[in-house]
Amino acid sequence: DGSPNLMYSDVAAAKPTAKQAKAIGDINEAVSIIQRIAGKEVTVTFQPVIRPENLPKSAQQVRATAAAGLNTQTAGGVYIRDGGQIGGRPLIALATNDERYDLLTSAGHEAFHHVEEALATEAEKRLIRSVSEMNRIRALASDEIGMSPSDPRLARLPEKEVRAIAFQRFRRLREEGLADASKIHIGMRKLWDRIVRVLQGVRNVLKGHGYNSYEAFFERARTGDVASG
């Protein structure tokens, strides 16, 4: 039925405390984000901490991540296209108790890996992997991890990770907004989001990007258009 396989290994099920209730709420929201972006065929699991031995990453990618000055001791999440077995369902695992990572941000990051690897068309892949769009994507990713776009450490990161980092920021800013967005009435937040979209569209046209831009693809991914199309 497409329901995720949830493993509440670190959250009590009965009479949760306020902290546990928030954790459960975050888990539910993370599942919602993944299902919207990546589709309901993806299995979602949770564990307190994800360590290197649990990561299906090549030694080369781990070295590249370390060379970029980013954490390699643990991971906020992991995406496995075949679930670790031939013909298996796609799997996303997320860490629920690692202070280095935000659960919802990791959900968007890992969901985008599935979008790019399994859902995007060849034309869409060529677009977001093109030199011009990668330069712009790299600028967005650099803001997320606090580096200059020209920092050589950023160039050492695998490009698919750069794209996922950029998307995690794109989704969070679109959906969660400013740090104090919770203080803003939901009606005003929706109005502001519409204004941002209009201005972004105008800016893209003026720049000659039209709809052939990474923003257009990211927005389709964020809203679930790619997964449902």
Side-chain angles (χ1 to χ4, degrees):
D1 60 0
S3 299
N5 175 24
L6 303 181
M7 295 170 57
Y8 295 86
S9 57
D10 62 338
V11 179
K15 296 182 180 180
T17 64
K19 182 177 180 181
Q20 290 168 340
K22 181 182 183 305
I24 293 172
D26 286 346
I27 284 174
N28 289 334
E29 180 62 19
V31 172
S32 177
I33 288 170
I34 290 171
Q35 289 188 335
R36 166 164 46 87
I37 295 172
K40 293 185 177 181
E41 74 277 7
V42 177
T43 298
V44 185
T45 66
F46 297 88
Q47 56 193 79
V49 179
I50 299 176
R51 302 195 180 281
E53 55 266 26
N54 305 127
L55 302 179
K57 295 182 178 180
S58 67
Q60 180 181 7
Q61 183 170 339
V62 173
R63 286 195 298 270
T65 303
L70 301 180
N71 174 56
T72 56
Q73 296 177 344
T74 60
V78 60
Y79 164 68
I80 309 174
R81 183 168 180 175
D82 61 1
Q85 56 185 343
I86 297 176
R89 290 177 58 176
L91 169 70
I92 289 177
L94 298 175
T96 59
N97 194 29
D98 192 330
E99 62 183 12
R100 297 180 179 89
Y101 302 99
D102 173 74
L103 181 62
L104 304 188
T105 298
S106 295
H109 179 109
E110 301 304 334
F112 185 77
H113 279 312
H114 183 68
V115 168
E116 179 173 353
E117 293 191 26
L119 304 179
T121 65
E122 290 305 312
E124 289 168 336
K125 290 177 183 178
R126 285 194 298 271
L127 169 67
I128 62 175
R129 295 172 183 178
S130 66
V131 174
S132 61
E133 291 306 289
M134 272 305 302
N135 286 337
R136 302 175 61 238
I137 288 172
R138 193 170 284 109
L140 184 62
S142 69
D143 288 340
E144 180 75 347
I145 57 180
M147 291 183 183
S148 165
S150 60
D151 193 313
R153 293 176 298 170
L154 186 60
R156 297 187 189 111
L157 271 179
E159 288 193 345
K160 67 178 182 180
E161 289 300 324
V162 174
R163 289 188 288 271
I165 290 170
F167 179 80
Q168 74 184 42
R169 184 173 183 82
F170 180 92
R171 185 211 63 81
R172 194 177 64 250
L173 292 178
R174 275 283 192 267
E175 297 175 14
E176 300 171 30
L178 303 173
D180 60 350
S182 60
K183 300 178 183 178
I184 302 174
H185 188 277
I186 186 64
M188 288 300 298
R189 290 182 62 186
K190 289 181 177 179
L191 174 62
W192 175 250
D193 189 56
R194 287 198 297 270
I195 292 172
V196 168
R197 291 188 192 186
V198 170
L199 292 177
Q200 182 66 64
V202 171
R203 188 175 71 175
N204 285 343
V205 171
L206 291 176
K207 286 186 174 182
H209 293 299
Y211 290 104
N212 295 318
S213 65
Y214 83 79
E215 290 99 336
F217 180 72
F218 277 16
E219 182 65 5
R220 289 188 61 234
R222 182 187 75 82
T223 58
D225 284 351
V226 176
S228 63

